[in-house]
Amino acid sequence: MIKGITQVNGIADVERLAALSELFAALGFEPGKGWNDKDGRGVVFLAPMGNVELVTGRPPAVPQLLVEVTQLDAAHTVVEAWTKRYAMQAPGAVAATHWKSRLFVVELAAGLEVGFWESDDPLHGKPVAVEGDLSAAGMKFAIVVARWNAVITDRLLQGALDGLMRSGAAQNDIEIVRVPGAWEIPSAARTLAEQKRFSAIITLGCLLRGETAHYEAIYTEVARGIGQSQQETGVPHAFGVLTCETLEQALDRAGVKAGNKGFEAAIAAIEMASIQGKLKGRS
């Protein structure tokens, strides 16, 4: 039944009301529908969230009006400049609280003390997300790896095995399938996925632009085939097929300089397998 919460504060004069309106606009409040008649005037400012907090056992440690912000230091600068302009008492210093946040307090008008605060928790106020765990214990994985450009794909395979075993996968729970080249990866991945024996499929290959005139066509079909296999079988497929201009670029992405994409594909496979399990458990 509750639709919204409004706190009404009396302001001594029109000049002070105009000054406060200027401050709230600078802080980013959304203007609401006010009113004006022969007896007075009301100016409304809207915020996206409202709460009522009741305290007993001890006096509240904060002002009656609290404003949560996303950039507390910037808000303090705005308020401090405003108090100097209108020759008012400067806001208090930003200080840490016992409730994992930072806060400063300022008196904006007689009887109107406001606390501005920001949570130290980056997830504060956000919905809880479903995330995968990075434990491969008890999971089974298939790795489809191309023999073409073996100097690269063997490095990717070693990276993938390293990622799986570091995360708790047993050697007997990892099945490696070697195919001639990247073009053959989707077919093998689809066959393995349809068996429903594996928690995830890891695909590893390497395409170099200089070695084939059909580079774009092959890559497009390989990516489409792997994606289609994942969507139609419901088994997560990790994409570890490199597409590089030169052999040097491929070596860099296979562990020389830019990390090992085989390792990264294995970690993605573990996380997606975990997420799949959690989502199926919810349903």
Side-chain angles (χ1 to χ4, degrees):
M1 293 188 293
I2 302 299
K3 184 177 179 180
I5 297 171
T6 300
Q7 177 165 338
V8 181
N9 296 278
I11 304 300
D13 52 60
V14 176
E15 289 75 16
R16 178 61 58 196
L17 179 65
L20 287 171
S21 299
E22 174 190 313
L23 173 63
F24 288 168
L27 289 170
F29 280 88
E30 179 184 349
K33 184 178 181 181
W35 54 271
N36 194 352
D37 60 28
K38 62 183 181 64
D39 297 319
R41 179 185 175 193
V43 179
V44 177
F45 293 92
L46 308 177
M49 182 177 68
N51 302 287
V52 173
E53 183 174 338
L54 306 176
V55 178
T56 189
R58 61 174 174 80
V62 294
Q64 188 176 8
L65 179 58
L66 286 176
V67 178
E68 183 178 3
V69 299
T70 56
Q71 296 177 320
L72 187 66
D73 295 322
H76 189 274
T77 300
V78 171
V79 173
E80 187 174 38
W82 181 83
T83 56
K84 286 182 180 179
R85 178 177 178 181
Y86 289 98
M88 297 179 60
Q89 184 175 350
V94 174
T97 71
H98 65 276
W99 32 285
K100 296 182 180 180
S101 64
R102 297 187 303 142
L103 168 80
F104 74 86
V105 178
V106 60
E107 187 173 18
L108 298 180
L112 179 57
E113 189 179 55
V114 180
F116 292 87
W117 70 284
E118 179 180 14
S119 176
D120 291 333
D121 181 3
L123 299 179
H124 174 78
K126 294 181 172 59
V128 178
V130 178
E131 296 184 276
D133 301 318
L134 295 180
S135 171
M139 297 180 180
K140 295 181 181 294
F141 298 90
I143 303 176
V144 182
V145 55
R147 286 196 302 268
W148 187 257
N149 288 322
V151 67
I152 303 299
T153 59
D154 283 350
R155 290 170 179 262
L156 296 176
L157 176 60
Q158 289 303 315
L161 292 172
D162 185 30
L164 292 177
M165 292 184 179
R166 282 176 183 266
S167 302
Q171 184 173 351
N172 292 336
D173 289 334
I174 303 172
E175 187 170 317
I176 301 172
V177 177
R178 293 187 181 271
V179 296
W183 179 263
E184 291 76 26
I185 289 175
S187 176
R190 178 64 174 260
T191 301
L192 291 165
E194 288 177 341
Q195 295 174 8
K196 302 295 183 182
R197 296 190 294 120
F198 300 101
S199 305
I201 313 294
I202 300 168
T203 61
L204 304 174
C206 178
L207 288 168
L208 299 178
R209 182 181 293 275
E211 295 192 8
T212 172
H214 305 293
Y215 172 87
E216 289 86 356
I218 293 176
Y219 170 73
T220 299
E221 287 303 306
V222 169
R224 184 195 61 80
I226 294 172
Q228 186 173 346
S229 175
Q230 175 176 247
Q231 293 166 6
E232 294 182 358
T233 64
V235 178
H237 289 42
F239 193 86
V241 180
L242 299 183
T243 53
C244 302
E245 298 289 330
T246 64
L247 180 61
E248 182 181 4
Q249 289 179 356
L251 286 169
D252 286 345
R253 298 178 67 189
V256 175
K257 289 183 180 179
N260 189 304
K261 298 303 178 182
F263 183 95
E264 294 176 13
I267 297 303
I270 296 167
E271 185 172 358
M272 285 306 301
S274 175
I275 289 175
Q276 286 275 47
K278 291 183 178 182
L279 294 178
K280 289 179 180 178
R282 284 190 165 195
S283 63

